[in-house]
Amino acid sequence: TFEWTLANKGVFTANLGVASDNSDVASVTSSLSGTGPTFTVNGIEPGDFVISGGLGYGLVMSKGAEITVAYDLESRDDFMGSTASVKLKMPF
């Protein structure tokens, strides 16, 4: 993770990660209400490596309010997911 504090009290953040996924199967076995017949739901096939990263910017505003904007990305074999978020924190 990299953080860079700006003159206007804003903070720019960047992160990058690499991981190994050891799972051979991506499935969940469930039952309805815990008593019915079971069923299996298959998910994506796990890839060998997972790469994740993101960028963000946070700013402390007047009276202690904070706003943070972020964009994160995760990539593996045949799959790419991303998330954008805005967080507002206000003291009361």
Side-chain angles (χ1 to χ4, degrees):
T1 301
F2 170 77
E3 289 187 359
W4 181 31
T5 303
L6 306 173
N8 64 352
K9 297 184 182 179
V11 177
F12 172 76
T13 59
N15 63 70
L16 181 64
V18 177
S20 175
D21 193 346
N22 298 340
S23 177
D24 291 333
V25 179
S27 64
V28 175
T29 302
S30 304
S31 65
L32 298 176
S33 301
T35 59
T38 61
F39 58 94
T40 301
V41 177
N42 294 320
I44 64 169
E45 291 184 25
D48 292 335
F49 290 99
V50 180
I51 299 171
S52 61
L55 298 172
Y57 179 76
L59 180 64
V60 177
M61 299 181 297
S62 63
K63 298 182 182 180
E66 298 177 33
I67 188 165
T68 305
V69 179
Y71 179 76
D72 295 296
L73 180 68
E74 181 178 300
S75 178
R76 40 177 94 213
D77 291 345
D78 299 325
F79 173 80
M80 183 176 290
S82 61
T83 305
S85 63
V86 176
K87 181 171 91 173
L88 178 62
K89 184 177 176 183
M90 297 182 66
F92 57 93

